[in-house]
Amino acid sequence: MVTKYKNALVESIIEGIQDIKGKSVTVMNLKSTDSSVCDYFVICEGNSTTHISSIADSVEDKVREQLGEKPYHIEGRQNALWVLMDYGNVIVHIFQKDAREFYSIETLWDDAEREDIADLD
């Protein structure tokens, strides 16, 4: 999987998500926005709390294996409705579908460049 952004961390995160069949992956390039908190958001969905937790574990394992990096911070593992993984310049948001629709974080940064990644079957 190669996105148009050509960022090794983003690519590794996407692989970790896709390994566990995460859905509706979106990469947002926040570099050119006025209120950027990082360079990229990687956003995806899981089907259940167990699936959300498995995606987070897969992302963490894949990034550590490929790049030797660990997240600075992880939030939301206990309830697993929305897990946030902070890798500094890349923040990963793993949502259940209803939570993603409710918070709609993509619309908060709608001026960012966006790439939707096709789901793997």
Side-chain angles (χ1 to χ4, degrees):
M1 160 59 27
V2 177
T3 66
K4 62 185 174 186
Y5 304 117
K6 297 184 179 29
N7 179 291
L9 180 55
V10 170
E11 302 297 334
S12 186
I13 289 166
I14 293 169
E15 284 183 41
I17 292 167
Q18 291 180 329
D19 283 354
I20 306 296
K21 306 283 191 241
K23 300 288 183 194
S24 301
V25 179
T26 299
V27 179
M28 299 186 74
N29 181 349
L30 304 174
K31 290 180 187 180
S32 63
T33 63
D34 292 334
S35 59
S36 67
V37 294
C38 61
D39 290 344
Y40 298 97
F41 276 173
V42 179
I43 306 163
C44 72
E45 296 173 11
N47 300 326
S48 65
T49 56
T50 303
H51 192 210
I52 300 292
S53 294
S54 295
I55 293 169
D57 290 343
S58 179
V59 167
E60 190 171 8
D61 292 345
K62 184 68 72 174
V63 171
R64 186 175 44 248
E65 288 168 12
Q66 291 184 346
L67 303 174
E69 293 188 38
K70 296 180 183 178
Y72 296 109
H73 186 71
I74 300 175
E75 289 187 29
R77 279 201 187 229
Q78 279 190 299
N79 65 14
L81 296 173
W82 174 5
V83 174
L84 181 143
M85 304 177 78
D86 182 355
Y87 281 95
N89 68 337
V90 179
I91 296 179
V92 183
H93 299 273
I94 308 167
F95 285 100
Q96 285 195 23
K97 185 175 182 153
D98 291 343
R100 184 175 185 175
E101 289 173 2
F102 178 79
Y103 290 104
S104 189
I105 64 172
E106 290 99 329
T107 61
L108 297 174
W109 283 273
D110 61 358
D111 57 336
E113 187 177 350
R114 173 183 175 152
E115 181 177 4
D116 295 315
I117 308 298
D119 289 344
L120 297 180
D121 292 325

Coordinates of all heavy atoms in Angstrom, one line a residue, residues 5 28-41 109-114:
Y5 N 1.2 10.3 -0.1 CA 2.0 11.1 0.9 C 3.4 10.5 1.0 O 4.3 11.2 1.5 CB 1.3 11.2 2.2 CG -0.1 11.8 2.0 CD1 -1.2 11.1 2.4 CD2 -0.3 13.1 1.5 CE1 -2.5 11.6 2.2 CE2 -1.5 13.6 1.3 CZ -2.6 12.9 1.7 OH -3.9 13.4 1.5
M28 N -5.4 12.0 6.4 CA -5.6 13.4 6.2 C -4.2 14.1 6.4 O -3.6 13.9 7.4 CB -6.6 13.9 7.2 CG -8.0 13.3 7.0 SD -9.3 14.0 8.0 CE -9.5 15.6 7.2
N29 N -3.8 14.9 5.4 CA -2.6 15.6 5.5 C -2.9 17.0 6.1 O -3.5 17.8 5.5 CB -2.0 15.8 4.1 CG -0.7 16.5 4.1 OD1 -0.3 17.1 5.1 ND2 0.0 16.5 2.9
L30 N -2.4 17.2 7.3 CA -2.8 18.4 8.1 C -1.6 19.4 8.0 O -1.8 20.5 8.6 CB -3.0 18.0 9.5 CG -4.1 17.0 9.8 CD1 -4.2 16.7 11.3 CD2 -5.5 17.5 9.3
K31 N -0.6 19.2 7.3 CA 0.6 20.1 7.2 C 0.2 21.5 6.8 O 0.8 22.4 7.3 CB 1.6 19.5 6.3 CG 2.3 18.3 6.8 CD 3.3 17.8 5.7 CE 4.0 16.5 6.1 NZ 4.9 16.1 5.1
S32 N -0.7 21.6 5.9 CA -1.0 22.9 5.3 C -2.2 23.6 6.0 O -2.6 24.7 5.6 CB -1.3 22.8 3.8 OG -2.4 22.0 3.6
T33 N -2.8 23.0 7.0 CA -3.9 23.6 7.7 C -3.4 24.6 8.8 O -2.3 24.5 9.3 CB -4.8 22.5 8.3 OG1 -4.1 21.8 9.3 CG2 -5.3 21.6 7.3
D34 N -4.3 25.5 9.1 CA -3.9 26.5 10.1 C -3.8 26.0 11.5 O -3.0 26.4 12.3 CB -5.0 27.6 10.1 CG -5.0 28.4 8.8 OD1 -3.9 28.5 8.2 OD2 -6.0 29.0 8.5
S35 N -4.6 25.0 11.8 CA -4.6 24.5 13.2 C -4.2 23.0 13.3 O -4.8 22.2 13.9 CB -6.1 24.6 13.7 OG -6.9 23.8 12.9
S36 N -3.0 22.7 12.6 CA -2.6 21.4 12.6 C -1.9 21.0 14.0 O -1.1 21.7 14.5 CB -1.6 21.1 11.5 OG -0.4 21.8 11.7
V37 N -2.4 19.8 14.5 CA -1.8 19.3 15.7 C -0.7 18.3 15.5 O 0.0 17.9 16.4 CB -2.9 18.7 16.6 CG1 -3.9 19.8 17.1 CG2 -3.7 17.6 15.8
C38 N -0.7 17.9 14.2 CA 0.3 16.9 13.8 C 0.4 17.0 12.2 O -0.3 17.8 11.6 CB 0.0 15.5 14.2 SG -1.6 14.9 13.5
D39 N 1.2 16.2 11.6 CA 1.3 16.2 10.1 C 0.2 15.4 9.5 O -0.3 15.8 8.4 CB 2.6 15.6 9.7 CG 3.8 16.5 10.0 OD1 3.5 17.7 10.3 OD2 4.9 16.1 10.0
Y40 N -0.2 14.2 10.1 CA -1.2 13.4 9.5 C -2.2 12.8 10.5 O -1.7 12.5 11.7 CB -0.6 12.1 8.8 CG 0.4 12.5 7.7 CD1 1.7 12.6 7.9 CD2 -0.2 12.7 6.4 CE1 2.6 12.9 6.8 CE2 0.7 13.1 5.3 CZ 2.0 13.2 5.6 OH 2.9 13.5 4.5
F41 N -3.4 12.6 10.1 CA -4.3 11.7 10.8 C -4.5 10.5 10.0 O -4.7 10.6 8.8 CB -5.7 12.4 11.0 CG -5.9 13.3 12.1 CD1 -7.1 14.1 12.2 CD2 -5.0 13.5 13.1 CE1 -7.4 14.9 13.2 CE2 -5.2 14.4 14.1 CZ -6.4 15.1 14.2
W109 N -11.4 19.2 10.2 CA -10.2 19.5 9.4 C -10.6 19.3 7.9 O -9.8 18.8 7.1 CB -9.1 18.6 9.8 CG -8.4 19.1 11.0 CD1 -7.4 20.0 11.2 CD2 -8.7 18.6 12.3 NE1 -7.1 20.1 12.5 CE2 -7.9 19.3 13.3 CE3 -9.6 17.7 12.9 CZ2 -7.9 19.1 14.6 CZ3 -9.7 17.5 14.2 CH2 -8.8 18.2 15.1
D110 N -11.7 19.9 7.5 CA -12.2 19.7 6.1 C -11.3 20.5 5.1 O -11.4 20.3 3.9 CB -13.6 19.9 5.9 CG -14.1 21.3 6.2 OD1 -13.2 22.1 6.7 OD2 -15.3 21.6 6.1
D111 N -10.4 21.3 5.6 CA -9.5 22.0 4.7 C -8.3 21.2 4.4 O -7.4 21.7 3.6 CB -9.2 23.4 5.2 CG -8.6 23.4 6.6 OD1 -8.8 22.5 7.4 OD2 -7.9 24.4 6.9
A112 N -8.1 20.1 5.1 CA -6.9 19.3 4.9 C -7.0 18.4 3.6 O -8.1 18.1 3.2 CB -6.7 18.3 6.1
E113 N -5.9 18.1 3.0 CA -5.9 17.2 1.9 C -6.2 15.8 2.4 O -5.7 15.4 3.5 CB -4.5 17.2 1.3 CG -4.4 16.4 0.0 CD -3.0 16.6 -0.6 OE1 -2.2 17.4 -0.2 OE2 -2.7 15.8 -1.5
R114 N -7.0 15.1 1.7 CA -7.6 13.8 2.2 C -7.4 12.7 1.1 O -7.6 12.9 -0.1 CB -9.0 14.0 2.5 CG -9.8 12.8 2.9 CD -11.2 13.1 3.1 NE -12.0 11.9 3.3 CZ -13.1 11.8 4.0 NH1 -13.6 12.9 4.6 NH2 -13.7 10.7 4.2

